[in-house]
Amino acid sequence: MELRGRMRRIGVFEVCNALIMLAVCFLTLYPIWFVFINSLNAPEKAILGTVNWFPEAFSWASYSVVFNDKGLMNGFYVTTMRTLIGTTAHVLFTAIVAYGMSKTNLIGRKVYMKIALITMLFSGGLIPTFILMTKLGLYDNFLVFIIPAMYTFFNMIIFMSFFRTIPDSLEESAKVDGASDYGVLFRIVMPNSMAVIATISLFSAVYHWNDYYQGVIYIYSQENLPLQTMLYKIIAENSMSFMQQQAMAQFGARLPGNSIKFASMMVATLPILLVYPFIQRYLVKGVMIGAIKG
């Protein structure tokens, strides 16, 4: 009887746990589904603002306006290039720094670590940073997205912890064969660190793709604005008049502002959502490896 009671309690716990997980999944996914459905609604249905599980009248009108807008497509190109170049530069530079810092015989290693830790806890503030970027010639420059984001102390710690798990014998054998430090890093260490590389790449790519603040502060020309900054301005300033005029010229009807906003959100969100599932399996492994010392 006692065993049956325990099994019943375990069964009730599993059911409750499953229900909670389903509720969390629903609360997480429904906002995305709501935006997607309303972006596909016909203009006359989307303007009503009703909540639906499926489009009442299917229409590509909002997406057609978004993809025909040269400004948004240029923003999409800027964001794509920023994500690709920024992620590559961040991974390479941070890995090189972490490889050197992972060596206990590095002269001044403790001093470097303390200095880097201070920069993680404190920053110069917005105005000094803005002045610095201006003096470096990065104001309204595409490189303002790349150079300041090439290194973060937190990601360096993850890289460094991972590199310490690689056996020293691999590096020693490579150096016996005449490999330099860079040769060991790129031929031995990096190929054996794909889990942490995928993890840091995901962190960096999500940051570059979703960031709008750098564009708001440092960019004023239209050709250098990333997609997320343009989307922020569309939502914050409600500047839909030009795109609505395009819709009237193309479809003979005035598309509601919300419909175009929803379509713009999906165009900005979908690429990173499609990439994430392919890198997800590396995430936990890349973060946790090296954290447990045996």
Side-chain angles (χ1 to χ4, degrees):
M1 293 295 291
E2 239 181 88
L3 182 59
R4 288 183 182 178
R6 287 182 183 176
M7 292 181 67
R8 285 177 183 174
R9 285 196 296 271
I10 292 173
V12 171
F13 174 78
E14 290 179 347
V15 171
C16 292
N17 190 39
L19 291 175
I20 292 173
M21 293 298 293
L22 287 174
V24 171
C25 290
F26 174 78
L27 293 174
T28 304
L29 296 176
Y30 180 73
I32 301 175
W33 182 254
F34 175 81
V35 171
F36 178 65
I37 290 304
N38 280 277
S39 69
L40 293 175
N41 252 334
E44 63 275 9
K45 298 295 182 182
I47 200 172
L48 298 176
T50 57
V51 177
N52 302 301
W53 288 104
F54 300 99
E56 293 185 19
F58 185 83
S59 174
W60 288 105
S62 299
Y63 286 97
S64 181
V65 171
V66 169
F67 283 112
N68 285 326
D69 185 87
K70 293 182 179 179
L72 280 178
M73 287 299 97
N74 182 72
F76 187 86
Y77 172 76
V78 171
T79 300
T80 303
M81 296 306 297
R82 173 189 177 178
T83 303
L84 293 176
I85 298 174
T87 300
T88 303
H90 177 79
V91 170
L92 287 177
F93 187 80
T94 306
I96 292 173
V97 175
Y99 179 68
M101 296 294 288
S102 66
K103 304 303 176 185
T104 55
N105 59 350
L106 177 67
I107 299 175
R109 177 178 171 275
K110 292 183 178 180
V111 176
Y112 300 149
M113 288 293 292
K114 290 178 180 178
I115 293 174
L117 181 61
I118 292 173
T119 64
M120 183 180 179
L121 299 175
F122 305 98
S123 66
L126 177 59
I127 295 177
T129 305
F130 181 84
I131 295 174
L132 175 63
M133 296 302 164
T134 304
K135 294 295 184 181
L136 292 175
L138 296 178
Y139 184 68
D140 197 34
N141 191 325
F142 177 78
L143 292 178
V144 77
F145 300 131
I146 309 300
I147 295 177
M150 286 180 65
Y151 170 84
T152 59
F153 180 71
F154 178 77
N155 289 344
M156 192 275 291
I157 290 294
I158 297 176
F159 261 123
M160 188 175 66
S161 299
F162 194 102
F163 290 162
R164 286 177 176 173
T165 64
I166 297 177
D168 294 335
S169 56
L170 289 176
E171 299 184 27
E172 291 171 359
S173 61
K175 287 187 176 181
V176 168
D177 292 336
S180 62
D181 288 328
Y182 283 103
V184 172
L185 174 62
F186 290 110
R187 295 182 182 181
I188 304 297
V189 177
M190 296 290 278
N192 287 284
S193 306
M194 296 310 298
V196 72
I197 289 174
T199 302
I200 301 303
S201 297
L202 178 62
F203 289 162
S204 180
V206 169
Y207 163 75
H208 280 292
W209 186 269
N210 290 334
D211 177 65
Y212 71 93
Y213 190 68
Q214 300 295 321
V216 173
I217 300 299
Y218 300 115
I219 302 296
Y220 69 86
S221 60
Q222 189 73 18
E223 60 270 15
N224 287 328
L225 279 178
L227 179 62
Q228 302 295 349
T229 303
M230 299 184 69
L231 185 59
Y232 164 79
K233 290 185 175 182
I234 288 174
I235 295 174
E237 301 171 7
N238 199 24
S239 56
M240 304 298 300
S241 57
F242 177 71
M243 297 177 70
Q244 288 175 342
Q245 290 175 7
Q246 284 186 316
M248 291 180 66
Q250 186 173 354
F251 301 102
R254 185 175 177 84
L255 276 175
N258 284 340
S259 181
I260 300 177
K261 287 179 186 178
F262 289 146
S264 303
M265 289 178 189
M266 289 308 302
V267 170
T269 306
L270 194 59
I272 203 69
L273 288 179
L274 294 177
V275 171
Y276 182 78
F278 296 100
I279 310 178
Q280 174 187 336
R281 61 194 181 98
Y282 293 106
L283 189 59
V284 176
K285 181 181 178 183
V287 172
M288 294 303 296
I289 197 164
I292 301 175
K293 302 300 180 183

